[in-house]
Amino acid sequence: MVVKVAINGYGTIGKRVADAVDAQDDMEIVGVTKTRPAFGCDLAVRKGYPIYCTYDEPDKINAFAAAGYDCHGGLSDLLNVADIVIDCSPGKVGASNLAKYKSASIKWIFQGGEKHATTGMSYTSSANHSANLNAEGTRVVSCNTTGLSRTLVPLYHHCGSLSVECTMIRRAADPGDSSKGPINAIKPVLKVPSHHGPDVMTVKPEISINSMAVAVPTTIMHVHVIVAQLPDGHNLTTESIIDMWSQEPRIILMSGAETGITTTAEVMEYARDIGRKWGDLHEIFVWRDGVKLEGNTLYYFQAIHQESDVIPENIDAIRALMGVEDDWRASVAKTDDAIARYNNIL
Ligand code: NAD
């Protein structure tokens, strides 16, 4: 079966998910939506993805032809030819699209900018793939929550309980976004705890976690400062935790001292060096020399490439909802292999 995938919202996340879908042999892009015939349509044209209008009004659809773009119809037309839609509209906008997906009797995936309450179901590959099997719809959690899950879920599975406090040092904006800030300040998120940590509990409720957050003037990556309390009798050492993570997918462990990769700037340069499209890094980056277990307390830092860690998770979520792969590790391997070949990475 080749799953027919629609992308509603062809922006930062949508264009990346589209290419990741296109890389797989068990799914295909049947169309992407744009709100209007703007410059972003050219990318879809270059990739050969059929363009649809975000809206169904004839005047909005006809505006595409007037600007020289071949528009195949409105959102309803796209939903009619798809098995599943990946909603990549701006945060909090997606929820208003839910009724359309339900009336089209199509499966749907939202992104982390929507609330868990909108969907009643959330997703990360390592935490709850099986709970999402054959579900009507889900929400791939945010980049931060995805990153926390990658390292905390295997740790939880080893320990059987986990209590976590973390500080999220958040990039102020995506690199392509000129309208956000701060540009010369550190901005605490005054809603305490921040939503990031508790959001992990939408995919792994057994992990007890809280977080605080600050936004800083950078566009490249978030950094998490994590302190986890392990239960008595955990049997782990700093080295065995590093070994455990090194055997998990989508985690890169490197020594800052040995590689010289000591900041997010060098992490992103590394992603460009290895030829990743857009300079993306789907993996979570953990500094080996920043991991330390003292008694029952584990300290570590990790860096999150905000625009890309959720991309392969969307692909696995498609397989879960469509019921085509019930083993999350098998899906992850298939997804990552296809993306690597697409990126021409050996
Ligand atoms: P974006 O603004 O880059 O792209 C959104 C796209 O949706 C734009 O092309 C916009 O024109 C289009 N759009 C506007 N209104 C729409 C509507 N009503 N229906 C469909 N499309 C519409 O946003 P983004 O950064 O790609 O974020 C998309 C989602 O992914 C959000 O929920 C966000 O929270 C989440 N997310 C973003 C990041 C990130 O770093 N950018 C990381 C993880 C998750």
Side-chain angles (χ1 to χ4, degrees):
M1 175 193 185
V2 174
V3 180
K4 296 182 182 340
V5 182
I7 305 287
N8 191 21
Y10 191 63
T12 307
I13 297 296
K15 67 186 179 187
R16 288 172 164 82
V17 173
D19 277 19
V21 167
D22 191 47
Q24 313 298 316
D25 63 10
D26 56 349
M27 52 189 81
E28 64 175 333
I29 292 291
V30 291
V32 303
T33 68
K34 290 299 291 178
T35 53
R36 60 194 176 89
F39 179 65
C41 294
D42 291 342
L43 181 62
V45 170
R46 265 211 316 279
K47 305 271 183 181
Y49 303 144
I51 296 174
Y52 287 78
C53 178
T54 310
Y55 311 104
D56 285 333
E57 288 89 337
D59 57 324
K60 291 184 174 157
I61 296 171
N62 292 337
F64 283 81
Y69 295 107
D70 188 10
C71 180
H72 294 247
L75 177 63
S76 300
D77 299 308
L78 175 57
L79 298 182
N80 276 338
V81 296
D83 300 315
I84 187 166
V85 57
I86 317 301
D87 188 298
C88 301
S89 62
K92 301 186 179 66
V93 170
S96 60
N97 292 327
L98 182 56
K100 294 175 197 160
Y101 304 153
K102 286 190 168 174
S103 70
S105 299
I106 189 173
K107 299 213 174 199
W108 35 270
I109 295 176
F110 286 107
Q111 305 304 310
E114 307 307 318
K115 289 188 180 340
H116 176 74
T118 301
T119 58
M121 182 68 95
S122 291
Y123 181 91
T124 71
S125 307
S126 65
N128 66 344
H129 185 86
S130 56
N132 277 269
L133 284 175
N134 299 305
E136 182 190 11
T138 197
R139 174 189 73 125
V140 169
V141 294
S142 73
C143 51
N144 281 307
T145 308
T146 298
L148 290 168
S149 296
R150 291 258 179 91
T151 46
L152 291 175
V153 168
L155 200 57
Y156 167 79
H157 282 150
H158 182 93
C159 294
S161 77
L162 210 52
S163 175
V164 183
E165 299 288 342
C166 52
T167 303
M168 331 296 294
I169 301 171
R170 295 184 43 228
R171 62 90 177 93
D174 285 338
D177 188 349
S178 61
S179 64
K180 292 185 183 160
I183 58 168
N184 185 27
I186 296 172
K187 184 178 178 187
V189 175
L190 298 177
K191 182 183 171 297
V192 178
S194 73
H195 69 274
H196 310 90
D199 204 31
V200 172
M201 293 189 273
T202 66
V203 292
K204 201 71 182 168
E206 301 90 340
I207 296 176
S208 167
I209 176 167
N210 270 314
S211 60
M212 295 173 80
V214 290
V216 295
T218 177
T219 62
I220 49 173
M221 306 192 89
H222 306 298
V223 168
H224 297 169
V225 182
I226 300 174
V227 182
Q229 292 300 329
L230 279 44
D232 287 340
H234 55 70
N235 244 348
L236 290 166
T237 62
T238 301
E239 272 314 310
S240 70
I241 290 170
I242 290 171
D243 281 352
M244 177 200 302
W245 284 334
S246 67
Q247 287 163 39
E248 291 296 325
R250 299 177 185 159
I251 300 173
I252 290 176
L253 286 134
M254 282 193 191
S255 157
E258 285 170 17
T259 61
I261 300 178
T262 53
T263 74
T264 54
E266 283 110 14
V267 176
M268 284 287 86
E269 186 67 4
Y270 167 72
R272 290 188 285 265
D273 285 348
I274 59 176
R276 295 294 175 85
K277 196 181 277 197
W278 290 292
D280 284 353
L281 197 67
H282 294 154
E283 299 89 343
I284 303 312
F285 189 98
V286 179
W287 283 275
R288 300 175 76 103
D289 32 1
V291 182
K292 179 84 179 165
L293 182 65
E294 293 252 345
N296 286 355
T297 307
L298 173 66
Y299 304 88
Y300 66 104
F301 301 96
Q302 59 181 21
I304 311 296
H305 186 229
Q306 73 274 359
E307 299 135 281
S308 72
D309 68 336
V310 299
I311 304 305
E313 308 270 326
N314 272 273
I315 304 303
D316 300 331
I318 292 170
R319 292 203 183 95
L321 265 53
M322 299 307 296
V324 295
E325 178 54 75
D326 57 6
D327 176 351
W328 76 270
R329 287 187 188 273
S331 180
V332 164
K334 187 170 172 57
T335 300
D336 293 357
D337 181 59
I339 290 174
R341 278 186 284 111
Y342 193 91
N343 274 329
N344 203 17
I345 295 163
L346 302 175

